[in-house]
Amino acid sequence: MKIVMLGAPGAGKGTQADMIADMFSIPHISTGDIFRENIKNGTELGAKAKGYMDKGELVPDELVCDLVVDRIQQDDCVKGYILDGFPRTIPQANALEEALKAIGQKLDYAIDIEVPDENIISRMSGRRSCTGCNAVYHVVYNPPKTEGICDKCGGKLVLRDDDKPETVKNRLNVYHEQTQPLIDFYKGTGVLHEVDGTQTMEKVFADIKNVIGA
Ligand code: ADP
Ligand code: ADP
Ligand code: ZN
């Protein structure tokens, strides 16, 4: 099962990817999480990515593509994987297609979670992310049992700097310019499915399960 999650920042890609990953016992690969880990660990890659992320811009393709192509060939990916936040540009999608072709694989589904821009700002300002394990909550729609503390690992929950409204507006522009064209790209390869992301998390998950026949 090889799945790409598409959708605006805050559409619910990570939330749904976690649920699918649990159900199929396959890895949830989030490029955003990989960059944030690198920043936390003070790596060279983290230092290169940080400036772009802080401004709500995309990290250059050449810093992302090889990293993902390596990741999907690791042992835990033999049964499949869910890519969340990659690809984000047409060149990234082409790089992925080429890499898959070279290793004799094919994507099964690209699932686009549709949420209008009007809903995104409130989604993002209420998002709380765990600094320990990357789990994601929402102060209203998916609150942790204890405010500010992760249910899963006891880590501290924070509002990401790039989830503040000024940066979110820029991320939405970047999404429309650079990432939305992937919807037509994957329509063209025949793997695109759209789901209504304004529904509850459970209903969105039910629609995704329908798509993937689970
Ligand atoms: P969201 O969950 O809101 O969609 P992510 O955690 O996926 O956000 O990404 C956070 C930031 O990391 C992006 O704004 C971008 O700067 C960088 N990033 C993540 N994935 C990619 C990618 N595939 N290409 C370029 N930049 C990326
Ligand atoms: P993405 O990975 O696309 O950026 P997330 O999965 O991190 O999105 O979700 C963004 C925020 O919206 C989080 O705070 C999450 O808890 C919340 N959220 C996710 N799906 C829904 C939903 N269907 N309804 C309401 N809030 C949601
Ligand atoms: Zn945690």
Side-chain angles (χ1 to χ4, degrees):
M1 180 78 64
K2 291 177 277 301
I3 302 177
V4 162
M5 305 300 297
L6 297 175
K13 301 180 296 295
T15 300
Q16 298 298 327
D18 261 342
M19 295 199 260
I20 307 167
D22 276 350
M23 187 167 177
F24 288 95
S25 303
I26 54 177
H28 165 196
I29 301 172
S30 156
T31 42
D33 285 349
I34 294 172
F35 288 133
R36 282 184 289 276
E37 288 289 315
N38 274 276
I39 293 172
K40 197 162 83 181
N41 297 331
T43 70
E44 201 179 315
L45 176 65
K48 285 183 186 156
K50 188 174 187 310
Y52 299 100
M53 293 172 76
D54 285 347
K55 283 186 274 185
E57 281 161 20
L58 294 183
V59 173
D61 292 337
E62 56 273 22
L63 293 182
V64 192
C65 291
D66 291 351
L67 181 145
V68 175
V69 169
D70 285 347
R71 179 67 189 86
I72 61 173
Q73 296 184 72
Q74 286 171 17
D75 291 346
D76 61 338
C77 291
V78 284
K79 284 200 300 173
Y81 43 81
I82 303 155
L83 291 176
D84 159 19
F86 181 94
R88 257 185 162 94
T89 64
I90 295 281
Q92 289 181 20
N94 281 323
L96 179 63
E97 290 293 301
E98 267 171 41
L100 288 173
K101 208 197 270 172
I103 54 179
Q105 295 185 357
K106 200 181 149 302
L107 276 185
D108 297 299
Y109 305 101
I111 300 174
D112 173 37
I113 306 181
E114 285 282 333
V115 175
D117 287 9
E118 306 85 88
N119 303 26
I120 295 292
I121 302 273
S122 73
R123 284 257 182 121
M124 305 299 255
S125 56
R127 171 155 69 179
R128 295 294 179 273
S129 306
C130 178
T131 48
C133 74
N134 299 320
V136 168
Y137 300 83
H138 191 282
V139 290
V140 178
Y141 305 120
N142 182 25
K145 292 196 182 81
T146 310
E147 197 187 317
I149 307 288
C150 178
D151 294 349
K152 293 183 184 143
C153 79
K156 188 170 168 241
L157 301 181
V158 298
L159 172 67
R160 273 165 46 184
D161 268 342
D162 64 340
D163 280 350
K164 295 182 178 150
E166 318 78 82
T167 319
V168 170
K169 281 182 197 140
N170 193 35
R171 289 165 66 196
L172 274 173
N173 289 338
V174 167
Y175 168 75
H176 290 301
E177 277 168 25
Q178 303 194 56
T179 307
Q180 212 168 19
L182 294 179
I183 293 174
D184 280 338
F185 179 98
Y186 285 118
K187 261 183 203 157
T189 65
V191 296
L192 187 85
H193 296 265
E194 292 177 331
V195 299
D196 174 2
T198 64
Q199 313 173 94
T200 62
M201 294 174 200
E202 293 72 24
K203 185 69 182 51
V204 177
F205 188 46
D207 285 0
I208 292 177
K209 282 192 287 188
N210 260 336
V211 165
I212 62 184

